[in-house]
Amino acid sequence: MLVGKRVLVVGSGGREHALVWALARSPEVERIYTTPGNEGMAQLAVKVQVNADDPEALARWAKENRIDLTVVGPEAFLAKGLADTFQNHGLAVFGPTKAAARLESSKVFAKEFMARHRIPTAKFKVFDDYNEAAAYIQSTPGPWVVKADGLAAGKGVVVANNRKEALAAVEAMMVSQRFGQAGNRVVIEEKLDGEELSVMAVTDGREFRMLLPAQDHKRVGDGDQGPNTGGMGAYAPTTLLTPGLKQRIAQEILAPAINGIAAEGAPFVGVLYAGLMITPDGPQVIEFNVRFGDPETQAVLVLIESDLYKLLDAAANGRLQEHPELKWREGAAACVVMASGGYPGDYSSGLPITGLDTLEGDETVIFHAGTRLVDGTWVTNGGRVLNVVGLGKTLADALDQAYRRIETIKFSGAHFRRDIGWRELQRR
Ligand code: AMP
Ligand code: GLY
């Protein structure tokens, strides 16, 4: 008799809800557990009361509960060595070790790694002394991009418009320690011009399979105005990725990164996410992430037709070579983020939300990002509250579905961008 698989998904945002949703469609999967999870996933996954900050305890729990595969969402757990602990216990885990996760957890490591392996990226310098960093900015023409070395929840990057802003960024990171230890070292790099593209590849450390290309929308306001956020929406696929560009990205970026990190003794298992700038000279790496992108994943996974469990299981167990090419649903998907009033600045939580009785319609899926269920009522519980995903034959259809669904959801102060996918719509 066939025994169904048990999967554990670590994380609690819209990305993890999308992972749970896609894994639940696999005929192989009998049960999904999640920690900490969110209540929006409750129909699909069982919330577990074991803290992922204690990898030993979580690994013991996974053993006792015969978990076949653990999928890790957020980078913070990987940077602390969750995958190492699971591997040491002989547990299959989809996500890189602490050493491989340095591609995201240390910008200095990532930049020097790219230089060693000739992976195209912006020219850069590393500083661990404030005076030297400031002197460098004083003596160069700019423009400058200033990056804190360590993890700073996506906020440790300043694209400076002028010398004053660049100096203020270095001061905030290295002197005022706005990001704590993460800012003790900084990278100062040249500013790249072009359009941004998100490419994710599932890898077992040798082989890789690219997921559909996507585009994120980082700025809070329409027309890409206002401060950066964790991402206000995404769509997939994008025609920005031409077949020729796809081949270049595979050959010049993904293959050398995956082979390079393995050659350095830290094979990478999981999703390697390349945040790229498509410049007139070709693709350049802005950053690597060592996990699924958020909110790109919400737009990409609703289109996957291949069995996600089989894919991630093959990668976690070094069998990706045997895995067929990925299959995707025809058409497009668009994810629009509904955020709390004030986000990405201060916002309040606990505001009641209406319109969430069903999460799935004919051509829409809703993923919970920052919500809570209080006495049977959904309330806001974070900056990014909901991810409303529309599907359609074209991007315009997908957007139409998403925006129509959004009109039926209400909470006080809610805001969202009305122009997700504008670059792609303009291209057509
Ligand atoms: P990150 O937090 O590393 O994702 O960077 C945030 C954003 O800063 C990126 O999505 C880009 O829009 C921008 N950025 C980072 N590095 C550069 C660069 N070298 N040139 C231009 N823009 C950059
Ligand atoms: N969407 C960008 C990220 O996941 O970091």
Side-chain angles (χ1 to χ4, degrees), residues 225-239:
Q225 300 298 310
N228 266 333
T229 67
M232 292 299 289
Y235 69 91
T238 168
T239 56

Side-chain angles (χ1 to χ4, degrees), residues 405-425:
R405 182 66 178 93
I406 278 191
E407 293 307 325
T408 66
I409 304 170
K410 305 275 179 234
F411 58 90
S412 174
H415 69 95
F416 55 89
R417 278 184 61 164
R418 292 173 193 272
D419 67 343
I420 297 305
W422 68 271
R423 289 170 192 278
E424 182 77 3
L425 294 175

Side-chain angles (χ1 to χ4, degrees), residues 18-38:
L19 282 163
V20 164
W21 180 89
L23 287 163
R25 295 161 74 91
S26 166
E28 306 261 316
V29 172
E30 170 196 294
R31 187 172 288 191
I32 303 174
Y33 297 92
T34 171
T35 178
N38 71 45

